[in-house]
Amino acid sequence: MRTPLVVGNWKMNGTLAEARALAQAVRDGLKRPRGVEIAVCPPFTALTAVAEVLAGSAVALGAQNCHWGDSGAFTGEVSPPMLAEVGCRFVLVGHSERRHVFREADDEINRKVSALLRHALVPVLCVGETGEERRQGLTFTVVEGQLRAGLAGLGPEDIRRCLVAYEPVWAIGTGVNATPAQAAEVHGYLRGLVSELASKEAALRVRILYGGSVKPDNAASVVQEPDIDGVLVGGASLQAQSFIAIAKKSAATGPGAGE
């Protein structure tokens, strides 16, 4: 059984004081989570401060992006070794804002995935279609292209170490989330692609998250779908009680789940 994962993407929000306070509230509210794993992705400037707050807790640290190089003349960039040094476990790559606002190309995203794996970090490869692409019936074409490009050149063992996040661009920050059925359809398609690219065993192990206007009132219905293995939370992760509620509602069922 794949343990659900709930990741909070804080995006470009929070002073150091605010980041510490939010991390502490999440840590204290999720001291012994059962049936779910938790991670938060603060801005780069807050990674060290949040790592100190989360040390020894059940909440893992993640980053929102990285460069593919270990070092070099890349002004403004942060490398995988730097993220590993501050205690990151997960790193988002190919988030829709990186693709559409900052024009990151598929080959750049692929290089980031490979670099993260080399440094024992877990890439969270984000894929998703725009509203216009969905209206044109291109959802599967778009997500397949992004997944194949992002995982290009990786062997089955490396693919098993990756996570995928389906985040329909039309649902991010809009308050309109994909229905559980819409999300489940795409997740099932993505899992089939992972089976083709790696193996059936890998497809059974790789966690595929849903992202897009996730809130406490819709989290449970989304993660009840068998191919949805947790959620990538944006705006709602900036409020501790909201994020804690999402985490608890995303926990796998069973005695004490989410406590």
Side-chain angles (χ1 to χ4, degrees):
M1 184 176 181
R2 298 180 298 270
T3 302
L5 172 67
V6 175
V7 180
N9 177 13
W10 296 0
K11 305 191 180 185
M12 195 177 71
N13 294 289
T15 63
L16 285 180
E18 291 168 339
R20 287 191 185 97
L22 179 54
Q24 183 173 339
V26 170
R27 178 200 68 192
D28 292 348
L30 294 166
K31 288 183 177 179
R32 291 179 298 276
R34 297 184 182 180
V36 65
E37 293 182 15
I38 315 294
V40 294
C41 299
F44 289 136
T45 53
L47 283 174
T48 298
V50 171
E52 292 170 353
V53 173
L54 299 180
S57 77
V59 183
L61 185 68
Q64 299 174 21
N65 189 28
C66 72
H67 191 270
W68 56 79
D70 289 0
S71 62
F74 302 108
T75 300
E77 295 292 333
V78 174
S79 72
M82 295 173 182
L83 298 178
E85 184 179 35
V86 298
C88 287
R89 179 183 173 196
F90 302 99
V91 182
L92 307 181
V93 286
H95 189 281
S96 65
E97 288 154 303
R98 302 303 313 177
R99 293 180 187 269
H100 296 287
V101 178
F102 300 102
R103 304 299 179 188
E104 288 188 5
D106 282 332
D107 64 324
E108 294 176 308
I109 293 164
N110 175 245
R111 293 175 74 180
K112 294 179 181 188
V113 171
S114 296
L116 290 167
L117 291 170
R118 285 198 305 272
H119 292 280
L121 292 162
V122 179
V124 182
L125 174 61
C126 302
V127 302
E129 81 284 12
T130 65
E132 182 58 30
E133 288 165 340
R134 174 166 278 270
R135 284 188 290 272
Q136 293 180 16
L138 297 174
T139 294
F140 293 155
T141 301
V142 171
V143 299
E144 177 172 352
Q146 293 172 342
L147 186 74
R148 286 185 182 276
L151 300 179
L154 301 183
E157 288 304 311
D158 280 339
I159 291 176
R160 283 176 55 176
R161 294 165 55 201
C162 297
L163 275 75
V164 178
Y166 168 57
E167 41 161 32
V169 181
W170 48 271
I172 297 172
T174 64
V176 179
N177 62 298
T179 67
Q182 287 174 320
E185 184 180 35
V186 179
H187 279 241
Y189 185 75
L190 291 169
R191 198 171 301 284
L193 288 172
V194 173
S195 179
E196 177 187 332
L197 293 170
S199 66
K200 290 183 178 179
E201 182 190 5
L204 290 173
R205 293 175 62 93
V206 170
R207 288 185 286 187
I208 306 177
L209 314 181
Y210 170 77
S213 294
V214 178
K215 297 179 176 62
D217 59 1
N218 62 33
S221 61
V222 169
V223 298
Q224 284 176 357
E225 297 292 337
D227 280 316
I228 299 179
D229 307 313
V231 287
L232 176 57
V233 187
S237 70
L238 297 174
Q239 300 294 327
Q241 292 309 310
S242 176
F243 184 67
I244 291 166
I246 290 170
K248 290 183 176 181
K249 291 185 177 184
S250 298
T253 56
E259 291 181 0

